[in-house]
Amino acid sequence: MPWFSKQKKLKSKEATPSAPPAPAAKGEGIWYKCEGCDEVVPRAEYERNWNVCPSCGAHDALPVKRRFELVLDKGSFQELDADLTPQDPLGFTDAKKYRDRLKSTFKSSGLRDAFVSGVGAIGGQQVSIGSFAFEFMGGSMGSVVGEKVARVFDRAYERRIPAIVFSSTGGARMQEGIFSLMQMAKTSAALHRFRSVRKPYVSVMLHPTTGGVAASFAWLGDFVIAEPKALIGFAGPRVIEQTIREKLPPGFQRSEFLLEHGMIDAIVPRLELRERLVQILALTA
């Protein structure tokens, strides 16, 4: 008999009556409060401004479909590979079964995985484009995400057009183990093949871009640009501080710090991004 055993304590319904649902706050959803400056603005104005605070310019997360609307010519986007769905190769279970987590995330987000890709046009120039969706399991990269990223480069190679990838991710998806880590090599190999057509690859780093994505194709762009104050790096600052036992400098791993130290090429505010991409493609494509 083990010296210790843990037994579940059963609670009767009488002992823990369920609380009535809290009433919705009056005006909820009408106003947006910026976490950067605490300014309160009408949500409609905030969304018209592409989720950028009109008072201080703080960039909030932007849904993947709206990001395509921001940068692509109107009506030009054609989604591809939408039928690819992740599987559960390891039968992984933590607090919840991985297959159940996928189902619930699909139900809440409407996305089948953390990456949406296809073809479109920017300033009349055809591009192969893809974007991470952080709202799907933190934008983590599993085998399907890696396949979709590789296909962005494969299509660009086959059609002889530029490639653009927007990265916003926590890194590899732990529920797929080694299958997830293999995507770093797979995507980098597809990018290497694309290089032979001598068309530009623009990597746009959003907040946050970390882990295996940052360590592979996200930092291999011909042009590496980032949004303001985006967290970019392999491991988080807290993990690094605990490893080296030293205090990191202010702003470490933020896009401004990386630009100052030559790690990225430019910081482009969201409202200027389409114009900058048009300029890059006109000069290089």
Side-chain angles (χ1 to χ4, degrees):
M1 181 177 181
W3 65 275
F4 172 79
S5 63
K6 185 176 181 181
Q7 297 180 352
K8 291 184 178 180
K9 294 182 179 180
L10 300 177
K11 296 181 180 180
S12 64
K13 293 183 179 179
E14 293 75 17
T16 57
S18 58
K26 188 175 181 179
E28 183 178 357
I30 298 177
W31 302 97
Y32 168 78
K33 183 176 180 180
C34 176
E35 295 182 0
C37 65
D38 291 333
E39 188 75 16
V40 177
V41 297
R43 181 167 290 276
E45 179 184 351
Y46 158 76
E47 292 180 350
R48 280 196 304 270
N49 209 42
W50 302 100
N51 292 18
V52 176
C53 176
S55 298
C56 69
H59 288 50
D60 204 354
L62 186 67
V64 61
K65 292 184 178 179
R66 292 211 69 212
R67 188 167 299 281
F68 289 141
E69 292 175 5
L70 170 68
V71 300
L72 294 174
D73 296 350
K74 187 175 181 180
S76 68
F77 180 63
Q78 178 187 0
E79 184 177 356
L80 301 171
D81 306 322
D83 57 332
L84 296 181
T85 55
Q87 303 301 311
D88 184 13
L90 304 179
F92 191 93
T93 300
D94 47 17
K96 190 175 184 180
K97 290 182 178 179
Y98 179 42
R99 61 173 66 93
D100 294 338
R101 197 179 296 277
L102 290 171
K103 291 177 183 177
S104 62
T105 309
F106 167 67
K107 188 175 181 180
S108 62
S109 68
L111 298 170
R112 294 197 175 276
D113 212 332
F115 195 80
V116 179
S117 59
V119 292
I122 298 178
Q125 169 68 54
Q126 287 292 309
V127 296
S128 179
I129 191 168
S131 177
F132 278 79
F134 196 80
E135 56 266 37
F136 193 102
M137 297 183 68
S140 52
M141 180 172 64
S143 54
V144 166
V145 170
E147 175 66 18
K148 283 189 170 186
V149 172
R151 291 190 184 189
V152 168
F153 298 128
D154 289 343
R155 271 191 294 271
Y157 171 82
E158 293 164 359
R159 304 186 186 196
R160 297 328 195 237
I161 58 176
I164 300 175
V165 175
F166 295 88
S167 299
S168 177
T169 171
R173 187 172 299 171
M174 68 173 187
Q175 289 90 345
E176 295 187 23
I178 190 62
F179 295 97
S180 177
L181 296 177
M182 289 168 61
Q183 307 311 309
M184 297 172 63
K186 178 179 182 177
T187 54
S188 298
L191 173 56
H192 178 72
R193 180 172 179 255
F194 165 66
R195 298 281 191 207
S196 65
V197 304
R198 303 182 69 82
K199 293 292 183 179
Y201 161 45
V202 183
S203 175
V204 184
M205 294 186 174
L206 314 174
H207 174 76
T209 299
T210 59
V213 173
S216 55
F217 61 87
W219 238 316
L220 295 176
D222 299 304
F223 299 89
V224 181
I225 60 182
E227 288 190 339
K229 298 183 180 178
L231 175 65
I232 301 169
F234 180 65
R238 179 175 54 84
V239 174
I240 296 174
E241 284 185 338
Q242 291 175 348
T243 302
I244 66 176
R245 303 182 183 226
E246 290 185 17
K247 191 69 177 174
L248 297 173
F252 180 77
Q253 289 188 325
R254 295 290 173 172
S255 48
E256 291 75 12
F257 183 92
L258 297 174
L259 178 63
E260 182 182 347
H261 290 79
M263 297 295 291
I264 61 177
D265 297 312
I267 297 173
V268 182
R270 186 174 298 165
L271 302 183
E272 302 173 14
L273 183 57
R274 173 179 161 82
E275 181 181 349
R276 183 65 63 91
L277 291 176
V278 169
Q279 182 183 41
I280 290 173
L281 295 178
L283 291 171
T284 61

PDB file of all heavy atoms in Angstrom, residues 12-45:
ATOM      1  N   SER A  12     -21.090  18.155  -2.425  1.00  0.00           N
ATOM      2  CA  SER A  12     -22.499  18.032  -2.785  1.00  0.00           C
ATOM      3  C   SER A  12     -22.981  19.317  -3.421  1.00  0.00           C
ATOM      4  O   SER A  12     -22.439  20.398  -3.199  1.00  0.00           O
ATOM      5  CB  SER A  12     -23.337  17.740  -1.528  1.00  0.00           C
ATOM      6  OG  SER A  12     -23.254  18.843  -0.632  1.00  0.00           O
ATOM      7  N   LYS A  13     -24.003  19.196  -4.225  1.00  0.00           N
ATOM      8  CA  LYS A  13     -24.556  20.372  -4.881  1.00  0.00           C
ATOM      9  C   LYS A  13     -25.124  21.349  -3.864  1.00  0.00           C
ATOM     10  O   LYS A  13     -25.100  22.555  -4.067  1.00  0.00           O
ATOM     11  CB  LYS A  13     -25.642  19.946  -5.880  1.00  0.00           C
ATOM     12  CG  LYS A  13     -25.110  19.158  -7.056  1.00  0.00           C
ATOM     13  CD  LYS A  13     -26.219  18.832  -8.022  1.00  0.00           C
ATOM     14  CE  LYS A  13     -25.684  18.046  -9.224  1.00  0.00           C
ATOM     15  NZ  LYS A  13     -26.747  17.708 -10.172  1.00  0.00           N
ATOM     16  N   GLU A  14     -25.615  20.817  -2.722  1.00  0.00           N
ATOM     17  CA  GLU A  14     -26.173  21.692  -1.696  1.00  0.00           C
ATOM     18  C   GLU A  14     -25.084  22.545  -1.057  1.00  0.00           C
ATOM     19  O   GLU A  14     -25.294  23.685  -0.674  1.00  0.00           O
ATOM     20  CB  GLU A  14     -26.873  20.873  -0.605  1.00  0.00           C
ATOM     21  CG  GLU A  14     -28.133  20.146  -1.071  1.00  0.00           C
ATOM     22  CD  GLU A  14     -27.816  18.915  -1.911  1.00  0.00           C
ATOM     23  OE1 GLU A  14     -26.661  18.456  -1.852  1.00  0.00           O
ATOM     24  OE2 GLU A  14     -28.709  18.425  -2.612  1.00  0.00           O
ATOM     25  N   ALA A  15     -23.868  21.975  -0.950  1.00  0.00           N
ATOM     26  CA  ALA A  15     -22.776  22.693  -0.285  1.00  0.00           C
ATOM     27  C   ALA A  15     -22.196  23.794  -1.158  1.00  0.00           C
ATOM     28  O   ALA A  15     -21.685  24.781  -0.665  1.00  0.00           O
ATOM     29  CB  ALA A  15     -21.674  21.718   0.103  1.00  0.00           C
ATOM     30  N   THR A  16     -22.287  23.619  -2.477  1.00  0.00           N
ATOM     31  CA  THR A  16     -21.716  24.624  -3.397  1.00  0.00           C
ATOM     32  C   THR A  16     -22.742  25.000  -4.451  1.00  0.00           C
ATOM     33  O   THR A  16     -22.650  24.570  -5.594  1.00  0.00           O
ATOM     34  CB  THR A  16     -20.452  24.067  -4.074  1.00  0.00           C
ATOM     35  OG1 THR A  16     -20.803  22.849  -4.739  1.00  0.00           O
ATOM     36  CG2 THR A  16     -19.353  23.796  -3.074  1.00  0.00           C
ATOM     37  N   PRO A  17     -23.719  25.779  -4.077  1.00  0.00           N
ATOM     38  CA  PRO A  17     -24.725  26.180  -5.072  1.00  0.00           C
ATOM     39  C   PRO A  17     -24.091  27.047  -6.148  1.00  0.00           C
ATOM     40  O   PRO A  17     -23.182  27.838  -5.884  1.00  0.00           O
ATOM     41  CB  PRO A  17     -25.735  26.974  -4.245  1.00  0.00           C
ATOM     42  CG  PRO A  17     -24.947  27.478  -3.070  1.00  0.00           C
ATOM     43  CD  PRO A  17     -23.932  26.411  -2.770  1.00  0.00           C
ATOM     44  N   SER A  18     -24.556  26.859  -7.356  1.00  0.00           N
ATOM     45  CA  SER A  18     -23.989  27.630  -8.461  1.00  0.00           C
ATOM     46  C   SER A  18     -24.458  29.073  -8.383  1.00  0.00           C
ATOM     47  O   SER A  18     -25.625  29.352  -8.109  1.00  0.00           O
ATOM     48  CB  SER A  18     -24.400  27.021  -9.802  1.00  0.00           C
ATOM     49  OG  SER A  18     -25.803  26.984  -9.893  1.00  0.00           O
ATOM     50  N   ALA A  19     -23.521  29.976  -8.607  1.00  0.00           N
ATOM     51  CA  ALA A  19     -23.845  31.391  -8.547  1.00  0.00           C
ATOM     52  C   ALA A  19     -24.568  31.810  -9.816  1.00  0.00           C
ATOM     53  O   ALA A  19     -24.306  31.276 -10.888  1.00  0.00           O
ATOM     54  CB  ALA A  19     -22.558  32.205  -8.385  1.00  0.00           C
ATOM     55  N   PRO A  20     -25.474  32.752  -9.713  1.00  0.00           N
ATOM     56  CA  PRO A  20     -26.168  33.224 -10.922  1.00  0.00           C
ATOM     57  C   PRO A  20     -25.195  33.934 -11.836  1.00  0.00           C
ATOM     58  O   PRO A  20     -24.214  34.517 -11.378  1.00  0.00           O
ATOM     59  CB  PRO A  20     -27.223  34.189 -10.358  1.00  0.00           C
ATOM     60  CG  PRO A  20     -26.668  34.644  -9.051  1.00  0.00           C
ATOM     61  CD  PRO A  20     -25.907  33.458  -8.508  1.00  0.00           C
ATOM     62  N   PRO A  21     -25.411  33.862 -13.126  1.00  0.00           N
ATOM     63  CA  PRO A  21     -24.493  34.540 -14.051  1.00  0.00           C
ATOM     64  C   PRO A  21     -24.468  36.040 -13.821  1.00  0.00           C
ATOM     65  O   PRO A  21     -25.497  36.649 -13.541  1.00  0.00           O
ATOM     66  CB  PRO A  21     -25.064  34.191 -15.434  1.00  0.00           C
ATOM     67  CG  PRO A  21     -26.492  33.847 -15.185  1.00  0.00           C
ATOM     68  CD  PRO A  21     -26.548  33.230 -13.820  1.00  0.00           C
ATOM     69  N   ALA A  22     -23.273  36.615 -13.913  1.00  0.00           N
ATOM     70  CA  ALA A  22     -23.129  38.051 -13.706  1.00  0.00           C
ATOM     71  C   ALA A  22     -23.755  38.798 -14.873  1.00  0.00           C
ATOM     72  O   ALA A  22     -23.601  38.406 -16.026  1.00  0.00           O
ATOM     73  CB  ALA A  22     -21.658  38.417 -13.586  1.00  0.00           C
ATOM     74  N   PRO A  23     -24.471  39.860 -14.581  1.00  0.00           N
ATOM     75  CA  PRO A  23     -25.081  40.617 -15.680  1.00  0.00           C
ATOM     76  C   PRO A  23     -24.021  41.293 -16.518  1.00  0.00           C
ATOM     77  O   PRO A  23     -22.968  41.691 -16.023  1.00  0.00           O
ATOM     78  CB  PRO A  23     -25.943  41.655 -14.935  1.00  0.00           C
ATOM     79  CG  PRO A  23     -25.301  41.786 -13.582  1.00  0.00           C
ATOM     80  CD  PRO A  23     -24.747  40.428 -13.263  1.00  0.00           C
ATOM     81  N   ALA A  24     -24.283  41.400 -17.798  1.00  0.00           N
ATOM     82  CA  ALA A  24     -23.324  42.047 -18.700  1.00  0.00           C
ATOM     83  C   ALA A  24     -23.217  43.525 -18.358  1.00  0.00           C
ATOM     84  O   ALA A  24     -24.208  44.180 -18.023  1.00  0.00           O
ATOM     85  CB  ALA A  24     -23.777  41.874 -20.152  1.00  0.00           C
ATOM     86  N   ALA A  25     -22.004  44.039 -18.380  1.00  0.00           N
ATOM     87  CA  ALA A  25     -21.787  45.446 -18.080  1.00  0.00           C
ATOM     88  C   ALA A  25     -22.456  46.314 -19.138  1.00  0.00           C
ATOM     89  O   ALA A  25     -22.423  46.012 -20.324  1.00  0.00           O
ATOM     90  CB  ALA A  25     -20.295  45.749 -18.026  1.00  0.00           C
ATOM     91  N   LYS A  26     -23.061  47.406 -18.672  1.00  0.00           N
ATOM     92  CA  LYS A  26     -23.755  48.295 -19.585  1.00  0.00           C
ATOM     93  C   LYS A  26     -22.762  48.930 -20.553  1.00  0.00           C
ATOM     94  O   LYS A  26     -21.741  49.469 -20.142  1.00  0.00           O
ATOM     95  CB  LYS A  26     -24.481  49.385 -18.801  1.00  0.00           C
ATOM     96  CG  LYS A  26     -25.394  50.236 -19.685  1.00  0.00           C
ATOM     97  CD  LYS A  26     -26.173  51.215 -18.845  1.00  0.00           C
ATOM     98  CE  LYS A  26     -27.101  52.052 -19.720  1.00  0.00           C
ATOM     99  NZ  LYS A  26     -27.880  53.005 -18.922  1.00  0.00           N
ATOM    100  N   GLY A  27     -23.029  48.843 -21.824  1.00  0.00           N
ATOM    101  CA  GLY A  27     -22.138  49.423 -22.820  1.00  0.00           C
ATOM    102  C   GLY A  27     -20.943  48.550 -23.151  1.00  0.00           C
ATOM    103  O   GLY A  27     -20.033  48.996 -23.825  1.00  0.00           O
ATOM    104  N   GLU A  28     -20.915  47.315 -22.664  1.00  0.00           N
ATOM    105  CA  GLU A  28     -19.774  46.444 -22.931  1.00  0.00           C
ATOM    106  C   GLU A  28     -19.634  46.205 -24.435  1.00  0.00           C
ATOM    107  O   GLU A  28     -20.597  45.881 -25.115  1.00  0.00           O
ATOM    108  CB  GLU A  28     -19.959  45.109 -22.208  1.00  0.00           C
ATOM    109  CG  GLU A  28     -18.782  44.164 -22.378  1.00  0.00           C
ATOM    110  CD  GLU A  28     -18.983  42.876 -21.598  1.00  0.00           C
ATOM    111  OE1 GLU A  28     -19.987  42.761 -20.898  1.00  0.00           O
ATOM    112  OE2 GLU A  28     -18.125  41.992 -21.714  1.00  0.00           O
ATOM    113  N   GLY A  29     -18.430  46.380 -24.940  1.00  0.00           N
ATOM    114  CA  GLY A  29     -18.181  46.203 -26.358  1.00  0.00           C
ATOM    115  C   GLY A  29     -18.273  47.490 -27.151  1.00  0.00           C
ATOM    116  O   GLY A  29     -17.832  47.546 -28.294  1.00  0.00           O
ATOM    117  N   ILE A  30     -18.825  48.547 -26.573  1.00  0.00           N
ATOM    118  CA  ILE A  30     -18.959  49.816 -27.283  1.00  0.00           C
ATOM    119  C   ILE A  30     -17.674  50.632 -27.166  1.00  0.00           C
ATOM    120  O   ILE A  30     -17.304  51.354 -28.080  1.00  0.00           O
ATOM    121  CB  ILE A  30     -20.150  50.621 -26.728  1.00  0.00           C
ATOM    122  CG1 ILE A  30     -21.446  49.843 -26.953  1.00  0.00           C
ATOM    123  CG2 ILE A  30     -20.231  51.994 -27.378  1.00  0.00           C
ATOM    124  CD1 ILE A  30     -22.662  50.518 -26.368  1.00  0.00           C
ATOM    125  N   TRP A  31     -16.966  50.469 -26.037  1.00  0.00           N
ATOM    126  CA  TRP A  31     -15.773  51.257 -25.768  1.00  0.00           C
ATOM    127  C   TRP A  31     -14.541  50.374 -25.718  1.00  0.00           C
ATOM    128  O   TRP A  31     -14.623  49.194 -25.380  1.00  0.00           O
ATOM    129  CB  TRP A  31     -15.914  52.023 -24.449  1.00  0.00           C
ATOM    130  CG  TRP A  31     -17.095  52.932 -24.420  1.00  0.00           C
ATOM    131  CD1 TRP A  31     -18.314  52.663 -23.877  1.00  0.00           C
ATOM    132  CD2 TRP A  31     -17.181  54.241 -24.987  1.00  0.00           C
ATOM    133  NE1 TRP A  31     -19.160  53.728 -24.067  1.00  0.00           N
ATOM    134  CE2 TRP A  31     -18.486  54.711 -24.745  1.00  0.00           C
ATOM    135  CE3 TRP A  31     -16.283  55.051 -25.681  1.00  0.00           C
ATOM    136  CZ2 TRP A  31     -18.917  55.961 -25.168  1.00  0.00           C
ATOM    137  CZ3 TRP A  31     -16.706  56.308 -26.099  1.00  0.00           C
ATOM    138  CH2 TRP A  31     -18.012  56.750 -25.841  1.00  0.00           C
ATOM    139  N   TYR A  32     -13.411  50.966 -26.043  1.00  0.00           N
ATOM    140  CA  TYR A  32     -12.124  50.273 -25.960  1.00  0.00           C
ATOM    141  C   TYR A  32     -11.195  51.076 -25.059  1.00  0.00           C
ATOM    142  O   TYR A  32     -11.023  52.283 -25.254  1.00  0.00           O
ATOM    143  CB  TYR A  32     -11.496  50.115 -27.346  1.00  0.00           C
ATOM    144  CG  TYR A  32     -10.047  49.674 -27.295  1.00  0.00           C
ATOM    145  CD1 TYR A  32      -9.718  48.351 -27.047  1.00  0.00           C
ATOM    146  CD2 TYR A  32      -9.016  50.595 -27.478  1.00  0.00           C
ATOM    147  CE1 TYR A  32      -8.392  47.949 -26.988  1.00  0.00           C
ATOM    148  CE2 TYR A  32      -7.692  50.193 -27.428  1.00  0.00           C
ATOM    149  CZ  TYR A  32      -7.389  48.865 -27.177  1.00  0.00           C
ATOM    150  OH  TYR A  32      -6.078  48.471 -27.110  1.00  0.00           O
ATOM    151  N   LYS A  33     -10.603  50.398 -24.074  1.00  0.00           N
ATOM    152  CA  LYS A  33      -9.646  51.046 -23.174  1.00  0.00           C
ATOM    153  C   LYS A  33      -8.248  50.572 -23.513  1.00  0.00           C
ATOM    154  O   LYS A  33      -7.938  49.388 -23.447  1.00  0.00           O
ATOM    155  CB  LYS A  33      -9.957  50.726 -21.713  1.00  0.00           C
ATOM    156  CG  LYS A  33      -9.030  51.443 -20.731  1.00  0.00           C
ATOM    157  CD  LYS A  33      -9.414  51.183 -19.290  1.00  0.00           C
ATOM    158  CE  LYS A  33      -8.470  51.918 -18.338  1.00  0.00           C
ATOM    159  NZ  LYS A  33      -8.831  51.677 -16.916  1.00  0.00           N
ATOM    160  N   CYS A  34      -7.395  51.504 -23.891  1.00  0.00           N
ATOM    161  CA  CYS A  34      -6.026  51.174 -24.282  1.00  0.00           C
ATOM    162  C   CYS A  34      -5.205  50.791 -23.056  1.00  0.00           C
ATOM    163  O   CYS A  34      -5.214  51.500 -22.043  1.00  0.00           O
ATOM    164  CB  CYS A  34      -5.388  52.367 -24.992  1.00  0.00           C
ATOM    165  SG  CYS A  34      -3.650  52.119 -25.409  1.00  0.00           S
ATOM    166  N   GLU A  35      -4.499  49.673 -23.157  1.00  0.00           N
ATOM    167  CA  GLU A  35      -3.644  49.246 -22.053  1.00  0.00           C
ATOM    168  C   GLU A  35      -2.368  50.078 -21.963  1.00  0.00           C
ATOM    169  O   GLU A  35      -1.692  50.072 -20.945  1.00  0.00           O
ATOM    170  CB  GLU A  35      -3.280  47.765 -22.211  1.00  0.00           C
ATOM    171  CG  GLU A  35      -4.474  46.831 -22.095  1.00  0.00           C
ATOM    172  CD  GLU A  35      -4.083  45.375 -22.211  1.00  0.00           C
ATOM    173  OE1 GLU A  35      -2.872  45.102 -22.378  1.00  0.00           O
ATOM    174  OE2 GLU A  35      -4.973  44.507 -22.130  1.00  0.00           O
ATOM    175  N   GLY A  36      -2.033  50.793 -23.038  1.00  0.00           N
ATOM    176  CA  GLY A  36      -0.825  51.597 -23.038  1.00  0.00           C
ATOM    177  C   GLY A  36      -0.986  52.948 -22.367  1.00  0.00           C
ATOM    178  O   GLY A  36      -0.133  53.379 -21.596  1.00  0.00           O
ATOM    179  N   CYS A  37      -2.109  53.645 -22.644  1.00  0.00           N
ATOM    180  CA  CYS A  37      -2.300  54.993 -22.105  1.00  0.00           C
ATOM    181  C   CYS A  37      -3.574  55.143 -21.285  1.00  0.00           C
ATOM    182  O   CYS A  37      -3.860  56.237 -20.784  1.00  0.00           O
ATOM    183  CB  CYS A  37      -2.313  56.000 -23.254  1.00  0.00           C
ATOM    184  SG  CYS A  37      -3.709  55.817 -24.399  1.00  0.00           S
ATOM    185  N   ASP A  38      -4.355  54.049 -21.162  1.00  0.00           N
ATOM    186  CA  ASP A  38      -5.615  54.060 -20.408  1.00  0.00           C
ATOM    187  C   ASP A  38      -6.685  54.965 -21.019  1.00  0.00           C
ATOM    188  O   ASP A  38      -7.694  55.255 -20.382  1.00  0.00           O
ATOM    189  CB  ASP A  38      -5.382  54.456 -18.940  1.00  0.00           C
ATOM    190  CG  ASP A  38      -4.629  53.396 -18.160  1.00  0.00           C
ATOM    191  OD1 ASP A  38      -4.734  52.217 -18.527  1.00  0.00           O
ATOM    192  OD2 ASP A  38      -3.927  53.746 -17.187  1.00  0.00           O
ATOM    193  N   GLU A  39      -6.453  55.405 -22.235  1.00  0.00           N
ATOM    194  CA  GLU A  39      -7.453  56.235 -22.904  1.00  0.00           C
ATOM    195  C   GLU A  39      -8.628  55.363 -23.346  1.00  0.00           C
ATOM    196  O   GLU A  39      -8.451  54.231 -23.796  1.00  0.00           O
ATOM    197  CB  GLU A  39      -6.821  56.915 -24.120  1.00  0.00           C
ATOM    198  CG  GLU A  39      -7.696  57.955 -24.781  1.00  0.00           C
ATOM    199  CD  GLU A  39      -7.786  59.243 -24.002  1.00  0.00           C
ATOM    200  OE1 GLU A  39      -6.940  59.469 -23.106  1.00  0.00           O
ATOM    201  OE2 GLU A  39      -8.701  60.037 -24.278  1.00  0.00           O
ATOM    202  N   VAL A  40      -9.835  55.890 -23.210  1.00  0.00           N
ATOM    203  CA  VAL A  40     -11.039  55.183 -23.629  1.00  0.00           C
ATOM    204  C   VAL A  40     -11.570  55.825 -24.906  1.00  0.00           C
ATOM    205  O   VAL A  40     -11.807  57.045 -24.948  1.00  0.00           O
ATOM    206  CB  VAL A  40     -12.116  55.213 -22.530  1.00  0.00           C
ATOM    207  CG1 VAL A  40     -13.393  54.521 -23.018  1.00  0.00           C
ATOM    208  CG2 VAL A  40     -11.603  54.537 -21.258  1.00  0.00           C
ATOM    209  N   VAL A  41     -11.717  55.010 -25.950  1.00  0.00           N
ATOM    210  CA  VAL A  41     -12.197  55.509 -27.238  1.00  0.00           C
ATOM    211  C   VAL A  41     -13.319  54.603 -27.732  1.00  0.00           C
ATOM    212  O   VAL A  41     -13.414  53.441 -27.314  1.00  0.00           O
ATOM    213  CB  VAL A  41     -11.058  55.543 -28.287  1.00  0.00           C
ATOM    214  CG1 VAL A  41      -9.959  56.498 -27.865  1.00  0.00           C
ATOM    215  CG2 VAL A  41     -10.485  54.153 -28.522  1.00  0.00           C
ATOM    216  N   PRO A  42     -14.176  55.095 -28.604  1.00  0.00           N
ATOM    217  CA  PRO A  42     -15.217  54.229 -29.169  1.00  0.00           C
ATOM    218  C   PRO A  42     -14.585  53.045 -29.906  1.00  0.00           C
ATOM    219  O   PRO A  42     -13.625  53.205 -30.656  1.00  0.00           O
ATOM    220  CB  PRO A  42     -15.954  55.161 -30.136  1.00  0.00           C
ATOM    221  CG  PRO A  42     -15.693  56.527 -29.624  1.00  0.00           C
ATOM    222  CD  PRO A  42     -14.310  56.497 -29.062  1.00  0.00           C
ATOM    223  N   ARG A  43     -15.119  51.865 -29.670  1.00  0.00           N
ATOM    224  CA  ARG A  43     -14.548  50.666 -30.287  1.00  0.00           C
ATOM    225  C   ARG A  43     -14.610  50.744 -31.819  1.00  0.00           C
ATOM    226  O   ARG A  43     -13.698  50.260 -32.493  1.00  0.00           O
ATOM    227  CB  ARG A  43     -15.279  49.419 -29.788  1.00  0.00           C
ATOM    228  CG  ARG A  43     -14.739  48.116 -30.362  1.00  0.00           C
ATOM    229  CD  ARG A  43     -15.263  46.920 -29.616  1.00  0.00           C
ATOM    230  NE  ARG A  43     -14.690  46.846 -28.282  1.00  0.00           N
ATOM    231  CZ  ARG A  43     -13.521  46.303 -27.991  1.00  0.00           C
ATOM    232  NH1 ARG A  43     -12.761  45.811 -28.952  1.00  0.00           N
ATOM    233  NH2 ARG A  43     -13.085  46.268 -26.758  1.00  0.00           N
ATOM    234  N   ALA A  44     -15.646  51.344 -32.345  1.00  0.00           N
ATOM    235  CA  ALA A  44     -15.755  51.456 -33.803  1.00  0.00           C
ATOM    236  C   ALA A  44     -14.590  52.287 -34.364  1.00  0.00           C
ATOM    237  O   ALA A  44     -14.026  51.950 -35.406  1.00  0.00           O
ATOM    238  CB  ALA A  44     -17.088  52.097 -34.182  1.00  0.00           C
ATOM    239  N   GLU A  45     -14.217  53.355 -33.666  1.00  0.00           N
ATOM    240  CA  GLU A  45     -13.084  54.184 -34.108  1.00  0.00           C
ATOM    241  C   GLU A  45     -11.779  53.401 -34.017  1.00  0.00           C
ATOM    242  O   GLU A  45     -10.924  53.472 -34.911  1.00  0.00           O
ATOM    243  CB  GLU A  45     -12.999  55.444 -33.247  1.00  0.00           C
ATOM    244  CG  GLU A  45     -11.837  56.360 -33.605  1.00  0.00           C
ATOM    245  CD  GLU A  45     -11.738  57.553 -32.669  1.00  0.00           C
ATOM    246  OE1 GLU A  45     -12.665  57.762 -31.864  1.00  0.00           O
ATOM    247  OE2 GLU A  45     -10.712  58.267 -32.740  1.00  0.00           O
TER     248      GLU A  45
END
